[in-house]
Amino acid sequence: MLKSGDAVVYKCRGVYKIEEIGTLNFSFADKKRKYYTLQSVDDSRDKAYVPMDDVSNIRQPVSKEEALALIGRLDEIEVLGIQNEKYREQEYKNCISGYRPESWVRVLKTLYKRTKSRGSMTSMDKKYQMLLEHALFSEFAFSLGIPKEDIPEFIQRQKDIKQEQSKK
């Protein structure tokens, strides 16, 4: 059971804090249902409302240990095997629908590889890259206790350390 003040990851939108729990005073809201009112950790203007009886779109953030373990396994995570370019976006959506960081990494690695081989990025790929980098970096920043903008450099340092250790 989640409570006020708890941190959650909401879909692919990043880390939120549960601000309130209760009914909503909006005309569109079911007055019989209770909702979690979520406040984005990154954007004070971003709120979300999630019914308490349908929490499939929220989960607890990964722990510091889980974040470090995932960063340590980045090179081992496979890219998506897109069979048909017509269904590329659907494959992205299917992969990220569970809102798991490892799936986000799979899509991001696929995007990076595709951009490198093509020499350019499509607008759809850019949209998914921005969405998933925000979600992943926001969660890592929260779990590791470092600023979101420092995450790419932190990941690179961890990869460099791992590479140095493997040479020994």
Side-chain angles (χ1 to χ4, degrees), residues 33-45:
R33 287 176 98 178
K34 287 191 175 188
Y35 292 80
Y36 292 113
T37 299
L38 308 179
Q39 174 63 57
S40 171
V41 170
D42 294 326
D43 182 355
S44 63
R45 298 167 293 154

Side-chain angles (χ1 to χ4, degrees), residues 91-114:
E91 297 241 11
Y92 292 167
K93 287 179 180 179
N94 290 345
C95 188
I96 64 177
S97 66
Y99 311 120
R100 307 305 305 171
E102 187 165 333
S103 299
W104 299 344
V105 169
R106 285 190 75 202
V107 175
L108 283 168
K109 285 183 74 169
T110 303
L111 294 169
Y112 299 154
K113 181 179 177 183
R114 182 169 191 250

Side-chain angles (χ1 to χ4, degrees), residues 11-152:
K11 296 186 178 183
C12 294
R13 291 175 49 183
V15 178
Y16 288 70
K17 291 273 185 162
I18 297 177
E19 197 173 66
E20 292 180 44
I21 301 171
T23 56
L24 299 177
N25 291 325
F26 299 131
S27 59
F28 65 84
D30 183 345
K31 303 294 183 213
K32 295 176 185 148
R33 287 176 98 178
K34 287 191 175 188
Y35 292 80
Y36 292 113
T37 299
L38 308 179
Q39 174 63 57
S40 171
V41 170
D42 294 326
D43 182 355
S44 63
R45 298 167 293 154
D46 184 9
K47 284 190 186 233
Y49 306 94
V50 177
M52 286 182 70
D53 59 358
D54 181 14
V55 293
S56 60
N57 296 326
I58 61 175
R59 63 172 172 78
Q60 290 186 310
V62 294
S63 68
K64 180 177 183 175
E65 294 75 22
E66 290 168 324
L68 290 171
L70 181 57
I71 290 169
R73 293 186 302 108
L74 288 178
D75 290 338
E76 302 161 21
I77 296 172
E78 298 287 326
V79 298
L80 294 174
I82 308 288
Q83 302 301 316
N84 186 331
E85 284 298 314
K86 285 185 191 178
Y87 302 114
R88 174 173 290 283
E89 185 170 23
Q90 190 57 49
E91 297 241 11
Y92 292 167
K93 287 179 180 179
N94 290 345
C95 188
I96 64 177
S97 66
Y99 311 120
R100 307 305 305 171
E102 187 165 333
S103 299
W104 299 344
V105 169
R106 285 190 75 202
V107 175
L108 283 168
K109 285 183 74 169
T110 303
L111 294 169
Y112 299 154
K113 181 179 177 183
R114 182 169 191 250
T115 299
K116 187 175 181 178
S117 69
R118 292 179 53 145
S120 65
M121 180 177 272
T122 66
S123 59
M124 178 189 67
D125 285 354
K126 184 69 176 168
K127 174 182 88 170
Y128 281 97
Q129 179 181 342
M130 290 173 60
L131 172 78
L132 295 174
E133 282 180 349
H134 168 75
L136 188 66
F137 295 173
S138 173
E139 185 168 3
F140 282 171
F142 179 82
S143 299
L144 299 169
I146 60 177
K148 187 172 95 172
E149 58 273 7
D150 292 347
I151 294 296

